[in-house]
Amino acid sequence: MNSKGRAGWQQRRDGTRTLSIGSHGNRVRLFQKCRNGQYYREIWVPTYGPNRKALLTADRKEAERLGRQLHAELVLGLEHRR
C-alpha cells in the first residue's frame, strides 16, 4: 500500500494506468503517457530532481516487476541515476 492509502494500479479517466511503489524518499512511480502505450518509471534523485525513463514495455505485469526491482535497488542503496 502506498502513502495515499491505495494499493495496486489506478486507472485514470483517460484510460492510462499509474502505480506508486514505496514511500517518500524511496518511491518509484510507474505510468503510461497514453492508453495502451508503453510504461515509464519516475524516481526522485536528490539535487537532480525527477528522473524519468521508458521501461520499453506495454505489459503491465512486466512494468510492475521492473518497478519493484528498481525499488528494491533504491532501498538497498544500489540505484543512483539509472
Side-chain angles (χ1 to χ4, degrees):
M1 191 175 292
N2 66 25
S3 62
K4 293 181 182 178
R6 292 186 236 161
W9 289 92
Q10 302 297 310
Q11 187 167 354
R12 296 188 223 162
R13 288 184 198 169
D14 62 3
T16 61
R17 295 188 176 268
T18 184
L19 174 70
S20 289
I21 301 168
S23 59
H24 184 72
N26 287 325
R27 181 172 295 132
V28 175
R29 187 171 77 92
L30 306 176
F31 62 96
Q32 292 175 301
K33 291 184 178 181
C34 63
R35 177 196 255 172
N36 298 323
Q38 73 176 347
Y39 286 92
Y40 296 80
R41 64 93 171 134
E42 180 181 81
I43 60 173
W44 183 265
V45 181
T47 71
Y48 291 99
N51 179 282
R52 291 181 180 172
K53 300 264 173 138
L55 294 177
L56 306 177
T57 185
D59 181 69
R60 189 173 16 154
K61 288 183 181 182
E62 178 67 4
E64 186 169 350
R65 185 189 69 76
L66 293 169
R68 291 194 183 282
Q69 180 181 349
L70 176 58
H71 179 256
E73 292 174 6
L74 286 170
V75 170
L76 294 173
L78 302 175
E79 173 60 35
H80 297 288
R81 289 179 293 170
R82 184 195 298 192

